[in-house]
Amino acid sequence: MSIPAQSAPPRTSTRPALALIVIAAAQLMVVLDSTITNIALPSIQKDLEVSASGLSWIVNSYVLAFGGLLLLGGRTGDLYGKRRLFRIGLTVFAGASLLGGLAPSVELLIAARVLQGLGAAVIAPTALSLIATTFAEGAARNRAMGVYAAMSGLGATVGLLLGGVLTDYLSWRWVMFVNVPIGVLVLLGARVLASGEKLHGELDVRGAATATGGLTALVYAIIQGGDRGWTDPVTLGMFTVAAILLITFLRSQRRNRHPLLPLRLLRDRNRAGSYVTMLFIGAAMLATFYLLSLFMQQVKGYSPVRAGFAYLPFSLGMGMAAGIGSRLAGRFSPRTLAGPGLVVAAGGMLWFSLLEPSSSYFTHLMPAMFITALGLGASFLPMTLGAISGVDRNDTGIASAILNTAQQIGGAVGLAVLATVSTSAADDKLPHADVAFFRALASGDQPLIQRAVDALSHGYTVAFASAVGFLLAALVITVTTLNASPQQRTEDAAPVHIG
């Protein structure tokens, strides 16, 4: 379906500070929903009688829909108007949150999470594009990007903190309900955003279907591989389906006049490096939140609210790194900022791999969290700036969406891989360790509880050690691909024009 261009010139926001608050609040809401359910997972598992594999789908259903549809969401914003789609995305997200809070079964909860992901897939790329509409290139945009990057990092930890408070004092259902008033407030504030220019083009619905289907099949195959074995017919069949769909998607993008993923955007070495690096960062980060949340509640016996507050050092480290990075972005190259950050993050992750059931929070968990967050925070801003530097105005929404897609899909695949690694390692110590843990708690069998705790702890630490590999891969890509100077980055951003 072709979309005619709008004849009137784009209207820019006359209140950029208020516009930034609206954009930042939307990004915070979208990102925190990737993690807010993590703290509530044990409560959801008990209330809805969810299996271990079903538990990971409560997180991954949102992340997959979010990441898989981001390219379509970014393109839709370019064609129909960013502010209009921003509002539609907020409405879908808030409505799905209400549905999820009322869900009587895990199946309906997962369906609501998919709808939340759909709304987020529209909100996130339009929000990032609207920053370029509102703020001029240079220092103003760098500061705004710093705030956006901080929301991307802080949203994850705020979600964990808020999830703990809501689960402990109200119910796990409030991790869904809380998005409704936030969404309504952001929707009301969207009036201050720039209206934007509508561009010519078509929606590649078939491309969106093959990309999302292929990624879903890939994650499902990884999870099934851990449950049934890597030679199981279902596992092999899903890997085959994933390969066929993803290859079909890439081929269609090469031929399509209006592709969801313009392959020309990947020809720029720095931009392609930013995307791939963010893929690995997302893989390590989302899986870390998932595994740490379970470690603190199952192994250490923390309550949901205590586990949520335990993440405060993560928020502090992420916020400090984002603030410092926004001031240094104009003076140092992306490689100079992101490279050392990834080394620090890998060191923090390695520290996590040394956790034991007897590990102290103040001498082990807290410093490891702070160091990991400091390193990850230092790497977010260079990747965010690299995503929209030097792109044509017709591709700005897509360029922004690819970065978010890389982070979310990396998170989904990383979570599937590391959750499988964790489960396999735990089962080597005690078959079906997670089931044994809950049965032992119900019966009060202390020896079995201790055996299950030891097995689960072993599984989590093996997964943390594996996550170090993701961050080292990100480091190698950063060092070998990101070589633009800060002056080049500023100049490259000049042609960017968001409608």
Side-chain angles (χ1 to χ4, degrees), residues 196-215:
E197 171 188 30
K198 298 178 185 177
L199 305 176
H200 288 291
E202 297 178 353
L203 286 178
D204 184 11
V205 177
R206 181 179 299 177
T210 54
T212 305
L215 292 168

Side-chain angles (χ1 to χ4, degrees), residues 210-296:
T210 54
T212 305
L215 292 168
T216 303
L218 175 62
V219 172
Y220 185 81
I222 294 171
I223 293 174
Q224 287 297 104
D227 288 344
R228 300 187 179 187
W230 300 105
T231 58
D232 177 76
V234 174
T235 302
L236 295 176
M238 293 308 293
F239 273 123
T240 302
V241 170
I244 292 172
L245 289 176
L246 292 176
I247 291 172
T248 301
F249 169 72
L250 291 175
R251 286 181 174 176
S252 70
Q253 299 310 287
R254 187 177 301 171
R255 299 190 302 266
N256 200 316
R257 292 178 55 204
H258 305 285
L260 280 180
L261 177 60
L263 299 182
R264 62 182 176 277
L265 291 178
L266 304 181
R267 293 172 189 157
D268 179 272
R269 181 177 176 180
N270 291 285
R271 189 177 305 117
S274 296
Y275 293 149
V276 179
T277 300
M278 187 59 83
L279 184 81
F280 284 105
I281 290 174
M285 187 171 177
L286 183 62
T288 299
F289 288 137
Y290 179 84
L291 296 167
L292 266 182
S293 298
L294 294 177
F295 177 87
M296 287 191 287

Side-chain angles (χ1 to χ4, degrees), residues 268-469:
D268 179 272
R269 181 177 176 180
N270 291 285
R271 189 177 305 117
S274 296
Y275 293 149
V276 179
T277 300
M278 187 59 83
L279 184 81
F280 284 105
I281 290 174
M285 187 171 177
L286 183 62
T288 299
F289 288 137
Y290 179 84
L291 296 167
L292 266 182
S293 298
L294 294 177
F295 177 87
M296 287 191 287
Q297 293 185 73
Q298 293 180 345
V299 176
K300 298 296 293 180
Y302 289 6
S303 67
V305 69
R306 184 180 178 186
F309 275 100
Y311 276 103
L312 283 176
F314 211 107
S315 299
L316 179 63
M318 193 72 71
M320 286 179 58
I324 295 171
S326 64
R327 290 193 292 270
L328 298 180
R331 297 170 53 193
F332 296 96
S333 69
R335 179 167 58 190
T336 303
L337 290 176
L342 289 168
V343 172
V344 171
M349 194 69 69
L350 186 62
W351 201 341
F352 281 136
S353 72
L354 302 176
L355 282 169
E356 296 178 351
S358 59
S359 295
S360 165
Y361 174 76
F362 289 103
T363 61
H364 200 145
L365 271 170
M366 184 175 74
M369 282 186 190
F370 180 78
I371 290 172
T372 304
L374 199 65
L376 289 173
S379 61
F380 266 105
L381 182 59
M383 304 309 139
T384 306
L385 289 172
I388 63 170
S389 295
V391 298
D392 182 84
R393 70 187 184 112
N394 293 334
D395 294 327
T396 51
I398 296 300
S400 304
I402 294 173
L403 182 73
N404 280 293
T405 298
Q407 182 181 350
Q408 296 302 320
I409 294 305
V413 174
L415 175 55
V417 170
L418 295 183
T420 298
V421 168
S422 175
T423 301
S424 298
D427 287 351
D428 287 342
K429 292 283 186 179
L430 177 66
H432 305 294
D434 57 332
V435 176
F437 175 74
F438 286 107
R439 286 179 178 173
L441 282 180
S443 65
D445 186 342
Q446 292 301 320
L448 182 56
I449 290 175
Q450 188 59 51
R451 288 181 60 201
V453 164
D454 290 340
L456 290 171
S457 178
H458 174 70
Y460 297 144
T461 54
V462 170
F464 286 131
S466 302
V468 174

Side-chain angles (χ1 to χ4, degrees), residues 19-112:
L20 181 58
I21 291 173
V22 171
I23 293 170
Q27 177 66 6
L28 179 67
M29 181 181 68
V30 165
V31 175
L32 71 83
D33 233 67
S34 297
T35 59
I36 194 170
T37 56
N38 278 292
I39 293 293
L41 287 175
S43 298
I44 295 173
Q45 187 174 32
K46 182 179 179 180
D47 188 26
L48 300 182
E49 300 181 354
V50 187
S51 66
S53 59
L55 206 61
S56 65
W57 276 110
I58 294 174
V59 177
N60 258 346
S61 57
Y62 173 79
V63 176
L64 271 174
F66 186 4
L69 295 171
L70 266 168
L71 296 177
L72 184 64
R75 188 61 177 165
T76 303
D78 285 338
L79 298 178
Y80 287 95
K82 294 174 178 61
R83 187 178 65 178
R84 177 188 295 176
L85 266 294
F86 185 77
R87 286 173 163 172
I88 292 173
L90 285 168
T91 302
V92 171
F93 192 92
S97 298
L98 180 61
L99 177 64
L102 298 172
S105 66
V106 66
E107 291 80 12
L108 188 56
L109 176 59
I110 290 174

